[in-house]
Amino acid sequence: MAVVTGAASGIGQATAIRYAREGAAVVAADINGPGVQKTAASIAAAGGQARAATVDVTQASQVADLVADALAVFGQIDILVNAAGIETLVPFLELSEAEWTRVLATNLTGPFLCGQAAAQAMVRTGRGGRIINITSINAEVVLPHQAHYAASKGGLRMLTRAMAVELAPHGITVNAIAPGAVDTPLIARSLADPVRREMLLRHIPLGRVARPEEIASAAAFLASEEAAYITGATLVVDGGWLIT
Ligand code: NAI
């Protein structure tokens, strides 16, 4: 079974739907309760097995409840995808400590809390597992006004590698997917702004932003048997952004 955070929208939603289509039972988790209910309902309507969980990934007690509930219902957790995340654009010279802390809490502390709780459950059940963190090409490169976001994603990239080292003896692989620009509500404002959109597209050799389903494909691969020997890696899914 798979736990997917950020499953009310965008990449997390597409991943939850893809996993369910592949036959996995899914716990779709998100701070947006009605949104995640909709994801679970659409999975169920398509004949899949899904449970919605309203969770703020920055709150350790809510994350503990999420994992306990998944274990109580399904007996084990095989896959965790950390897709919950936020992005704001703020010039570095104006970036408040509160905004810095908010973005780091969601994008870095959240995956730490969820990853640790899920890994503890995986170790206890002794069947190994897969953890997939959605980072970003902003773990490597930045555009203006992304200091806090880029720092959170760079941190998550290294957390992925650190967890991979320590969890390997337990048969748990930990990998990252680094999307470029993906057509989701997260970057809707940038895509709607002709100047920012043009700036984004200039970086993308394939000449278009990704669909969330194209990131879900990578998440399906990293959770599959085909990826059993891959750990600590970042799978870049960016239409070529990082090679230019
Ligand atoms: P999205 O905005 O469509 O979905 C993010 C989801 O995370 C939302 O449903 C939101 O309610 C949830 N969320 C936010 N804070 C939360 C919290 N504290 N607890 C639980 N859930 C919370 O965004 P998208 O694009 O699907 O983003 C998913 C991940 O992919 C994020 O980590 C984002 O940084 C990353 N990413 C997105 C890119 C893009 O261009 N859309 C590019 C690179 C990375």
Side-chain angles (χ1 to χ4, degrees):
M1 70 81 52
V3 174
V4 181
T5 74
S9 177
I11 293 166
Q13 182 183 55
T15 300
I17 290 169
R18 172 68 190 260
Y19 282 172
R21 220 174 62 212
E22 304 266 343
V26 175
V27 172
D30 204 287
I31 199 169
N32 175 351
V36 88
Q37 293 281 357
K38 269 193 203 152
T39 301
S42 79
I43 288 172
Q49 199 183 352
R51 204 174 156 77
T54 306
V55 180
D56 180 346
V57 297
T58 70
Q59 301 302 311
S61 63
Q62 294 185 30
V63 170
D65 289 347
L66 167 70
V67 167
D69 182 66
L71 288 176
V73 175
F74 299 106
Q76 68 198 59
I77 296 173
D78 302 302
I79 304 161
L80 167 71
V81 178
N82 282 308
I86 53 174
E87 179 181 19
T88 56
L89 298 174
V90 185
F92 176 71
L93 292 175
E94 294 161 26
L95 183 58
S96 68
E97 184 182 353
E99 188 58 4
W100 165 270
T101 303
R102 191 175 77 91
V103 168
L104 268 288
T106 307
N107 295 359
L108 184 54
T109 306
F112 158 66
L113 292 172
C114 293
Q116 186 187 55
Q120 286 167 344
M122 288 169 181
V123 169
R124 271 200 308 276
T125 45
R127 294 166 47 108
R130 303 288 169 90
I131 297 176
I132 298 163
N133 294 323
I134 309 298
T135 58
S136 168
I137 55 164
N138 295 132
E140 310 288 339
V141 294
V142 300
L143 293 173
H145 307 166
Q146 290 185 317
H148 49 334
Y149 183 75
S152 74
K153 294 302 186 177
L156 185 55
R157 171 175 178 269
M158 281 313 291
L159 176 65
T160 301
R161 295 164 69 133
M163 287 172 63
V165 167
E166 291 199 42
L167 297 176
H170 301 285
I172 301 167
T173 69
V174 188
N175 292 291
I177 297 171
V182 189
D183 190 1
T184 74
L186 189 92
I187 62 162
R189 285 246 296 281
S190 292
L191 292 178
D193 170 353
V195 174
R196 189 108 190 157
R197 185 187 175 87
E198 181 51 37
M199 182 164 72
L200 290 176
L201 289 177
R202 258 207 325 271
H203 286 283
I204 307 172
L206 284 182
R208 63 173 179 85
V209 300
R211 290 177 291 108
E213 291 76 15
E214 293 176 304
I215 313 304
S217 302
F221 167 66
L222 287 173
S224 76
E225 260 318 294
E226 302 291 314
Y229 199 63
I230 300 175
T231 196
T234 292
L235 179 48
V236 177
V237 187
D238 68 348
W241 185 313
L242 285 186
I243 54 175
T244 62

